[in-house]
């Protein structure tokens, strides 16, 4: 039966006659739901058929990605192996996943490419174990904790810093529009590309517009959305937009200039339950390890000053 079948990215590329890079792009954009089994990404046959049906109908623009990017009916303990659902898109999470797989066979990390707000909601609903978040509270100038406290009411949790990274604006090479800061996004000659609702970059933009007494209606392109930093930077590089909000690393990968405007804290959130103590200890140990930090130091734009520090606990 189709619901019992799944395909690797190589299988999908052959079936659809596209490159593996295109397959990964479809997965990152949320158009093709996938989940990780060990080191391998897999796509269920039912999800592939639904994608093909949308393609035939010309409806390939995905809805805002939901926590079900990792299929909940696949998340169950198998042969004593406990799955750990890790949300977010940053490459530091890929490195964390690799270290978990190297350190233990008792846990199976599964990646879900979901934005910060949706990740916290998924955690509240019991659909995520390790949530990554970078949500600015404009009133206090702090990251993450104000949102965690509001959304995880009634839960005990720990907030552990992963990295601090530069966030700001992507602009075309040479910055031909002379964009300098947030207020410039409301200029009539500027068009932006935005992130999807629930993404940390979207919240950052909304908070900055509010703090600068600007409305989203003042910003051309506000409703033009991409589901990841590379998508935003890519539209700026191609000239489809003049600016977009994102992190420094994607700028160097795509080939656009980057205007740093803020240092954002990228944290992990984990719920504290007696049956979670073992793997919370494992994650904390990995994040604080020299081997993990050594890999992070090789990546442009990361500040590891607070990596492994408990930022909040209750």
């Amino acid at each position: 039966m189709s619901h019992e079948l799944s395909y690797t990215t190589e299988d999908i590329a052959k079936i659809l006659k596209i490159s593996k890079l295109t397959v990964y792009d479809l997965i990152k954009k949320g158009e093709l739901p996938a989940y990780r089994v060990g080191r391998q990404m897999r796509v269920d046959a039912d999800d592939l058929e639904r994608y093909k049906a949308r393609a035939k109908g010309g409806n390939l623009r995905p809805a805002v990605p939901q926590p079900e990017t990792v299929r909940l009916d696949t998340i169950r303990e198998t042969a004593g192996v406990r799955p750990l659902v890790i949300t977010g898109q940053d490459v530091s999470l890929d490195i964390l996943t690799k270290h978990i797989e190297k350190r233990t066979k008792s846990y199976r990390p599964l990646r879900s490419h979901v934005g910060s707000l949706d990740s916290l909601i998924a955690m509240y609903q019991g659909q995520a174990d390790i949530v990554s978040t970078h949500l600015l509270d404009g009133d206090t100038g702090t990251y993450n904790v104000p949102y965690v406290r509001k959304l995880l009411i009634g839960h005990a949790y720990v907030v552990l810093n992963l990295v601090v990274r530069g966030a700001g604006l992507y602009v075309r090479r040479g910055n031909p529009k002379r964009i300098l800061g947030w207020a410039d996004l409301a200029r009539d000659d500027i068009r932006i590309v935005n992130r999807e609702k629930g993404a940390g970059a979207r919240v950052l933009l909304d908070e900055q517009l509010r703090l600068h007494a600007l409305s989203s209606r003042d910003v051309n392109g506000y409703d033009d959305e991409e589901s990841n930093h590379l998508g935003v930077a890519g539209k700026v590089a191609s000239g489809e937009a003049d600016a977009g909000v994102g992190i420094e690393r994607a700028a160097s990968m795509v080939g656009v200039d980057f205007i740093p405007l803020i240092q954002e804290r990228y944290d992990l959130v984990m719920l504290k339950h007696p049956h979670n103590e073992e793997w919370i200890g494992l994650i904390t140990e990995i994040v604080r390890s020299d081997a993990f930090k050594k890999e992070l130091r090789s990546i442009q734009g990361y500040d590891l000053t607070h990596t492994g520090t408990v930022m909040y606990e209750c």
Side-chain angles (χ1 to χ4, degrees), residues 164-213:
V164 173
R165 60 188 191 182
L169 298 175
Y170 304 130
V171 296
R172 275 178 277 171
R173 288 289 196 191
N175 194 8
K177 294 291 184 77
R178 296 295 181 263
I179 297 168
L180 299 177
W182 303 108
D184 288 323
L185 301 185
R187 284 165 36 189
D188 290 339
D189 64 327
I190 301 298
R191 181 175 182 83
I192 75 161
V193 56
N194 208 349
R195 284 292 304 277
E196 78 280 8
K197 293 180 179 68
R202 174 72 164 250
V203 172
L204 173 59
L205 174 61
D206 288 344
E207 287 290 79
Q208 293 298 336
L209 292 179
R210 181 174 67 84
L211 293 172
H212 286 80

Side-chain angles (χ1 to χ4, degrees), residues 241-262:
D242 300 301
V245 180
I247 60 173
E248 183 178 357
R249 179 174 178 271
S252 60
M253 293 175 66
V254 174
V256 294
D257 286 349
F258 180 73
I259 303 172
L261 296 175
I262 195 168

Side-chain angles (χ1 to χ4, degrees), residues 27 30 32-35 65-71 111-114:
I27 291 171
L32 194 59
Y35 55 95
Q66 297 299 314
E68 288 77 13
T69 302
V70 172
R71 287 275 299 274
R111 290 293 307 283
S112 178
H113 296 88
V114 182

Side-chain angles (χ1 to χ4, degrees), residues 39 79 114 150 194 297 305:
R39 298 179 181 274
V114 182
K150 290 175 183 177
N194 208 349
R297 286 192 186 96
T305 301

Side-chain angles (χ1 to χ4, degrees), residues 231-302:
V232 172
K235 278 205 168 180
V236 174
S238 69
E240 296 176 72
D242 300 301
V245 180
I247 60 173
E248 183 178 357
R249 179 174 178 271
S252 60
M253 293 175 66
V254 174
V256 294
D257 286 349
F258 180 73
I259 303 172
L261 296 175
I262 195 168
Q263 288 292 104
E264 65 176 18
R265 222 179 65 214
Y266 193 68
D267 293 333
L268 300 178
V269 183
M270 297 173 283
L271 294 183
K272 295 195 312 185
H273 295 301
H275 56 273
N276 291 353
E277 288 181 0
E278 181 180 340
W279 64 257
I280 289 177
L282 172 67
I283 300 303
T284 303
E285 185 179 329
I286 288 173
V287 172
R288 292 175 176 173
S289 70
D290 291 337
F292 181 72
K293 291 180 181 180
K294 181 179 179 180
E295 290 198 57
L296 292 183
R297 286 192 186 96
S298 67
I299 299 172
Q300 180 180 350
Y302 285 167

